Amino acid sequence: MRARLLTIATAVMLIASACSSTPAATTAPTAAPTAAPTAAPTAAPTAAPTAAPTAAPTAAPTAAPTPAARPSVLRVARISDFLPSIHPVNLGTGNQELMADITFSTLVDVDSDEVTILPDLAKSWTASPDATVYTFELDERAVWSDGQPVTVEDVFFTIAWTSWYPTALKQFGLEMYRNVKGGENGSGTAIAPGTIPEGLKKIDDHTIEITLSKPDGTFLRRLAGAYYYIQPVHILGELTGEQADSCEFCLGTAGVTIGSGPYDFETSISATGANFKAKKGYWKGKDGPVEQIVYKIQESNVSVAQLKAGELDLVIRVPPLEGPGLASVAGLKQLNVPGVGIFALNFNHSQTDAAFRQAIAYAINRPEIIEQVLGGRASLNYGIPPGFKLYDDLDKYDFNVDKAKELLATSAFKDKKSIELIYLAEDPNFTLTAPALQQYIQENLGITVELSAFPTAPYVEFIEKNNDWEIYLSFGGSEGVGWYQSEIYTACPGIGVTYLKLDVGDDRGECAYQALFKEAAGLSGEAQDEVLHELARKLSTNIPIFHLWQPNYLHVYSDRLGGGFRIYPNERESFQSILDWTYAP
Amino acid sequence: MGAYILRRLLISIPVLLGITIIGFVALKMTPGDPLTASLNPEVLANLMSRPEVLEAERKRLGFDQPIFPNQYLIWLGKVVQGDFGYSVTSKRSIAYEVGSRLPQTLFLMIIALTLAVVIAIPVGVISAVRQYSKLDYSLNGMAIFLASTPVFVLGLVFVYVFAVNLRLFPTSELHSTNRHDIGDAIWHVVLPASVLAIVNAAPLVRYTRASMLDVLSSDYITTARAKGVLPWLVTTRHALRNGLIPIITLLALLIPESVAGAVITEQIFAWNGMGQMVVKAANARDPSLMMAVILITGVAVLLANLIADIGYAMADPRVRLDRAK
């Protein structure tokens, strides 16, 4: 009898335990360089911000009455990439950025055209013509979730911290903060914690002036990125670089991680997502469209089933092939957005030369692959990053077998009989396209292409630690947002993505690409265009990375979503406009 | 019995140590650096320019020391004190990672295995008793069909038929939004547990039938029948108990699997259990998490075997667990 009672008790405890909420998270005591699952690729608009937009709209949205009966829950899902961190040093995945966008505020936001700058914490701003001095007037209504006001000191702390602990930064993007005059400025030498760089000046209680050491016309646009969110100095003031990896605030912990965005964490971030609750009486005078957002990180097949069963309201990035099957589901709408992540062939420059790379580019019939393999659901790229203008004198690498053979004959690597094409085994995008690429290269150049599908860990390991690979197929990046987003991929070793093993020197000396990127960032108008043209020519001729195409993204949402609901081309920024959304009961 | 259990538990300790040593060394010897494997390529690229950061981190995590015995002993010392370490990817403690998933997996698997046994044993017995009848052929055919159906096919069929089309059950997860009660959990577990139950029941039916046929042709069964014992008593009391021996063995093999999680089923039903964790840990080369899985599975295997031995003795009185005096 006792044994039976014990068995029953154990069973009851198990069920209760399984049904209870997750146990309190214990965080790692010290720092560790963290994972940041590969950045989900972004989108499309090509317009790049020219130097320094000047006057901005001064008015913040005025108070709107809260609807009497709001629908309660918006259930959102996005594909499965996961990193349980919300601190900017580790932001990198779309899921993190979307979560950060609803819990935190940046100085400015961006509209869905990916160009127009909108107010967020700053209700107005100006920029000097030479794109070195920016002033921001903070919205005096802005408060943190604990009621403390958002102050100039919060902004100073957020920016200065990156110069105090530059080695903590895992995200290339945050480097922009270090360009502040008196900051770390890429020197590799941190400034003393607590020191405010001279480029940060308090004009009055709500106005700040930021002076950059080098002109940067992309500054405002980039500030709208989630990883530039302003952090609360009264909570994180003592945070060290090491702690940023694992502090409870940094991991997105309910009740601990607070921001100045319209939502708070209701549950801590886990592998499956997080729940958020709307702030009542949000400082912008308008509350979020729903009281709760359930944000799920899960496999797309699960999301598709949940959509069909009416268990989800919005799925960001549904596999395009699911589109027809979901079209007949009542109450669902689809958004098929051209271009997001970039499919690219990445070349090891010690194993290939420009002629060899060009030969491969000519040998591949990209339009046919898009039509036959991808069902037309992609936009053609022309070798250069899609954020660049397609200048008339650039080679578009239209399919041309004769030219491919000619070029191969001039290459120092013309005797290569076989090459290895590496790609990620887990991603179905690769398993569809890699064989097509293989076929074109083999048939048109007579080079045997060995396909090597790697799981993630060995893939990274192999590319990082070896120099005997030749080409790998990649999918991701955010080059489509603007030309400036490509800098990381062609930057000097030690600053950018060194695993590409690029030859970054040329007639302009070492780090030629990066020098041009930097130069363009400090210019505007025709002068900027001239530099960008030169850069595009170099990228097109030398093709360090050959951009193949941008697959379309399919987003599926409930027809109850309305108002200003929109998914940005860079879908990870879509929550920046969430206050404009409506959700019909 | 008590002495036997104690003896088995004591023997389990060196076995468990052996399992963890092999697991630890094997994990460390697999290609790939757990530190760099846990990093985003872009992040890693940035850090590669600062090798001192990576080195310091390796040192802090003890990755610079000899694998055996140094790193192993460090790990073991902490485990003995209840510190399983931290996941290099999630930064959460292993206790948190496992603690948040193991109950979900056990909840699912216990229900699934119980259902499997409840379905399989009667079906297997009926099939054996009615050997070569139409019923036997039907049940047997069904069992073979289900045993040969991949679990992902069955799972997807269940999702699309019962959740998407008929909307009788939810498609996935342990709970509906904002529900945390047992009733909701049971509603959610019906589909994944049914799939797992069917998948596990199919081979159990075959084993039960074969075992029962073997026992039913024994002399002592003939004797029982000759003595006029009622047929159902012959089947349940005399035959089934002996026929259970191979079933217990099979169940003992299924229990550790239940702890490690049903990877495919958990994926299809977005069940946040051990199976999904194992896959993520393997992909990320998360050493502490992988070791925790090895340890838990090892304990489950040893316990399952112990339970099986006890089960043998309960099913068959001729089996003696204590040494003959």
Side-chain angles (χ1 to χ4, degrees):
Chain A
M1 179 59 88
R2 281 178 61 192
R4 278 183 194 166
L5 281 174
L6 194 65
T7 310
I8 292 166
T10 309
V12 169
M13 279 169 62
L14 263 173
I15 292 170
S17 162
C19 298
S20 66
S21 53
T22 49
T26 318
T27 52
T30 49
T34 353
T38 312
T42 26
T46 49
T50 50
T54 47
T58 46
T62 49
T66 308
R70 288 189 306 176
S72 60
V73 188
L74 178 70
R75 299 157 301 176
V76 184
R78 193 174 174 276
I79 54 164
S80 178
D81 54 348
F82 162 63
L83 179 65
S85 172
I86 202 76
H87 193 277
V89 298
N90 286 319
L91 279 192
T93 71
N95 290 321
Q96 289 172 293
E97 292 187 26
L98 283 159
M99 289 185 193
D101 267 334
I102 50 172
T103 47
F104 292 95
S105 307
T106 41
L107 282 173
V108 291
D109 275 346
V110 68
D111 206 347
S112 56
D113 62 2
E114 302 283 5
V115 175
T116 308
I117 306 298
L118 299 171
D120 197 4
L121 279 176
K123 60 183 182 182
S124 67
W125 55 88
T126 62
S128 66
D130 66 350
T132 54
V133 183
Y134 293 82
T135 59
F136 297 91
E137 188 188 357
L138 298 186
D139 194 320
E140 61 278 2
R141 299 171 302 169
V143 289
W144 299 103
S145 302
D146 60 2
Q148 295 286 317
V150 178
T151 63
V152 168
E153 283 69 33
D154 291 318
V155 181
F156 284 2
F157 163 74
T158 302
I159 297 174
W161 192 93
T162 61
S163 285
W164 300 344
Y165 304 105
T167 54
L169 308 184
K170 315 293 188 317
Q171 273 301 322
F172 181 78
L174 278 178
E175 193 201 47
M176 188 178 78
Y177 272 160
R178 292 185 284 167
N179 183 25
V180 169
K181 199 171 179 186
E184 185 260 359
N185 291 154
S187 65
T189 310
I191 64 170
T195 310
I196 301 298
E198 60 173 298
L200 298 176
K201 197 168 154 194
K202 184 174 180 177
I203 305 293
D204 61 40
D205 280 351
H206 295 103
T207 312
I208 53 173
E209 183 183 276
I210 300 174
T211 305
L212 306 179
S213 57
K214 288 179 201 154
D216 186 357
T218 67
F219 188 71
L220 273 178
R221 172 59 185 90
R222 293 209 234 181
L223 272 185
Y227 31 81
Y228 292 109
Y229 72 73
I230 302 302
Q231 301 154 51
V233 66
H234 68 284
I235 294 176
L236 296 178
E238 303 298 319
L239 187 81
T240 65
E242 279 200 342
Q243 292 166 339
D245 265 340
S246 53
C247 78
E248 287 223 50
F249 184 103
C250 312
L251 294 181
T253 308
V256 175
T257 307
I258 61 161
S260 52
Y263 285 83
D264 273 325
F265 281 98
E266 189 177 45
T267 61
S268 305
I269 300 179
S270 74
T272 54
N275 293 358
F276 301 87
K277 61 172 186 280
K279 288 177 184 169
K280 305 280 184 200
Y282 182 52
W283 61 265
K284 283 190 176 175
K286 189 178 184 182
D287 289 354
V290 289
E291 288 168 359
Q292 187 190 35
I293 294 177
V294 174
Y295 191 100
K296 300 179 181 187
I297 303 172
Q298 58 192 18
E299 298 296 331
S300 51
N301 64 311
V302 173
S303 295
V304 169
Q306 290 183 342
L307 271 173
K308 288 180 176 173
E311 297 171 11
L312 279 175
D313 304 299
L314 169 63
V315 179
I316 299 170
R317 285 178 62 182
V318 177
L321 292 173
E322 299 285 354
L326 287 164
S328 57
V329 180
L332 292 182
K333 287 184 172 178
Q334 298 191 7
L335 208 59
N336 208 339
V337 193
V340 174
I342 318 297
F343 258 95
L345 286 175
N346 300 265
F347 298 97
N348 183 338
H349 284 211
S350 67
Q351 301 285 331
T352 59
D353 59 13
F356 188 87
R357 296 192 287 269
Q358 287 172 348
I360 287 188
Y362 277 117
I364 300 166
N365 191 341
R366 305 186 314 281
E368 193 168 287
I369 294 178
I370 290 174
E371 205 47 50
Q372 301 296 324
V373 181
L374 304 173
R377 298 185 190 89
S379 310
L380 184 65
N381 285 167
Y382 298 93
I384 57 166
F388 280 82
K389 261 198 257 176
L390 189 60
Y391 298 94
D392 290 339
D393 60 341
L394 299 184
D395 205 325
K396 295 189 179 66
Y397 291 102
D398 292 329
F399 180 54
N400 187 332
V401 178
D402 293 338
K403 202 157 183 182
K405 285 178 176 165
E406 258 172 50
L407 282 161
L408 184 63
T410 65
S411 167
F413 296 89
K414 64 183 174 194
D415 296 328
K416 265 188 193 283
K417 293 289 172 233
S418 70
I419 52 172
E420 186 181 21
L421 178 61
I422 299 168
Y423 57 96
L424 266 179
E426 292 101 339
D427 193 325
N429 286 304
F430 295 141
T431 50
L432 279 174
T433 50
L437 294 169
Q438 176 193 41
Q439 191 183 337
Y440 277 114
I441 297 170
Q442 284 187 170
E443 283 181 5
N444 299 328
L445 293 176
I447 299 173
T448 305
V449 178
E450 293 162 18
L451 296 182
S452 294
F454 279 68
T456 310
Y459 172 81
V460 174
E461 177 82 3
F462 186 79
I463 292 168
E464 268 300 330
K465 298 224 170 134
N466 295 286
N467 204 26
D468 56 357
W469 59 271
E470 286 138 334
I471 307 175
Y472 77 87
L473 184 61
S474 68
F475 175 49
S478 53
E479 293 102 312
V481 174
W483 58 267
Y484 49 90
Q485 293 284 33
S486 300
E487 182 181 343
I488 179 176
Y489 302 104
T490 49
C492 278
I495 297 174
V497 181
T498 54
Y499 61 81
L500 292 178
K501 309 202 189 317
L502 296 176
D503 173 11
V504 292
D506 72 350
D507 52 312
R508 286 176 65 109
E510 279 298 305
C511 306
Y513 302 121
Q514 194 176 16
L516 285 167
F517 272 109
K518 296 277 184 218
E519 192 178 333
L523 297 169
S524 63
E526 279 184 26
Q528 185 188 56
D529 192 63
E530 207 172 294
V531 176
L532 288 177
H533 193 163
E534 186 189 347
L535 182 53
R537 260 197 307 264
K538 280 184 186 299
L539 293 172
S540 175
T541 309
N542 204 25
I543 42 174
I545 303 165
F546 188 67
H547 295 76
L548 298 159
W549 53 75
Q550 292 165 263
N552 289 5
Y553 274 178
L554 175 66
H555 311 298
V556 180
Y557 62 99
S558 159
D559 58 9
R560 291 190 285 174
L561 275 164
F565 167 75
R566 54 206 185 270
I567 298 294
Y568 288 26
N570 179 9
E571 92 284 359
R572 63 179 68 184
E573 291 178 323
S574 304
F575 278 166
Q576 293 195 10
S577 64
I578 197 164
L579 289 178
D580 299 334
W581 298 11
T582 58
Y583 189 86
Chain B
M1 176 77 90
Y4 173 79
I5 293 172
L6 187 64
R7 198 167 62 241
R8 284 291 300 265
L9 287 175
L10 287 174
I11 291 169
S12 299
I13 293 171
V15 174
L16 206 52
L17 283 175
I19 291 170
T20 56
I21 289 171
I22 293 167
F24 193 88
V25 174
L27 270 180
K28 293 283 177 181
M29 288 175 71
T30 51
D33 175 354
L35 182 61
T36 54
S38 67
L39 297 172
N40 170 313
E42 290 180 23
V43 169
L44 185 60
N46 290 336
L47 285 177
M48 292 302 273
S49 63
R50 304 186 199 119
E52 72 282 359
V53 177
L54 287 173
E55 265 325 297
E57 192 54 25
R58 268 195 198 95
K59 201 168 179 181
R60 192 184 69 76
L61 295 169
F63 292 165
D64 61 333
Q65 297 192 31
I67 296 170
F68 191 85
N70 300 40
Q71 286 192 42
Y72 176 75
L73 288 177
I74 292 171
W75 173 82
L76 187 64
K78 287 181 178 172
V79 167
V80 169
Q81 296 170 56
D83 176 7
F84 288 84
Y86 290 82
S87 160
V88 294
T89 44
S90 75
K91 309 296 175 202
R92 308 276 191 195
S93 69
I94 300 300
Y96 168 78
E97 290 290 338
V98 173
S100 61
R101 292 163 183 269
L102 189 58
Q104 288 201 36
T105 290
L106 290 180
F107 176 55
L108 169 64
M109 298 305 279
I110 287 172
I111 292 176
L113 279 184
T114 308
L115 273 175
V117 170
V118 167
I119 295 167
I121 292 179
V123 170
V125 170
I126 291 166
S127 195
V129 172
R130 306 281 298 275
Q131 191 186 14
Y132 302 135
S133 67
K134 282 181 184 170
L135 184 63
D136 178 33
Y137 285 128
S138 323
L139 293 174
N140 227 347
M142 182 68 81
I144 291 168
F145 172 73
L146 291 172
S148 58
T149 307
V151 67
F152 73 90
V153 173
L154 207 57
L156 290 174
V157 167
F158 269 50
V159 166
Y160 279 91
V161 172
F162 296 108
V164 173
N165 292 327
L166 300 176
R167 300 208 177 183
L168 293 173
F169 300 99
T171 56
S172 46
E173 300 177 277
L174 174 62
H175 284 297
S176 310
T177 305
N178 293 332
R179 290 277 304 272
H180 298 285
D181 52 288
I182 288 178
D184 184 58
I186 289 171
W187 186 48
H188 276 254
V189 85
V190 170
L191 288 189
S194 302
V195 168
L196 280 173
I198 289 170
V199 168
N200 286 323
L204 272 176
V205 168
R206 303 277 300 150
Y207 269 86
T208 309
R209 180 179 180 275
S211 177
M212 284 297 288
L213 284 176
D214 192 33
V215 174
L216 285 171
S217 60
S218 305
D219 289 345
Y220 76 93
I221 295 292
T222 310
T223 306
R225 283 180 179 142
K227 283 166 71 178
V229 179
L230 290 171
W232 68 271
L233 271 180
V234 171
T235 306
T236 54
R237 185 170 293 175
H238 295 268
L240 183 58
R241 284 186 73 169
N242 275 346
L244 278 177
I245 300 286
I247 314 300
I248 291 169
T249 308
L250 186 61
L251 282 172
L253 292 172
L254 289 175
I255 288 173
E257 273 182 35
S258 70
V259 175
V263 175
I264 296 170
T265 311
E266 287 187 4
Q267 290 274 16
I268 291 170
F269 291 96
W271 200 264
N272 190 24
M274 294 289 286
Q276 297 218 48
M277 190 189 78
V278 170
V279 172
K280 282 178 180 161
N283 273 339
R285 301 285 165 89
D286 199 328
S288 301
L289 208 47
M290 290 297 287
M291 279 311 296
V293 172
I294 289 171
L295 189 62
I296 290 168
T297 313
V299 169
V301 168
L302 293 172
L303 279 179
N305 278 298
L306 179 61
I307 292 167
D309 284 350
I310 296 167
Y312 295 149
M314 289 170 75
D316 186 348
R318 291 170 300 177
V319 177
R320 291 282 172 267
L321 296 179
D322 291 321
R323 282 178 189 164
K325 298 202 172 148

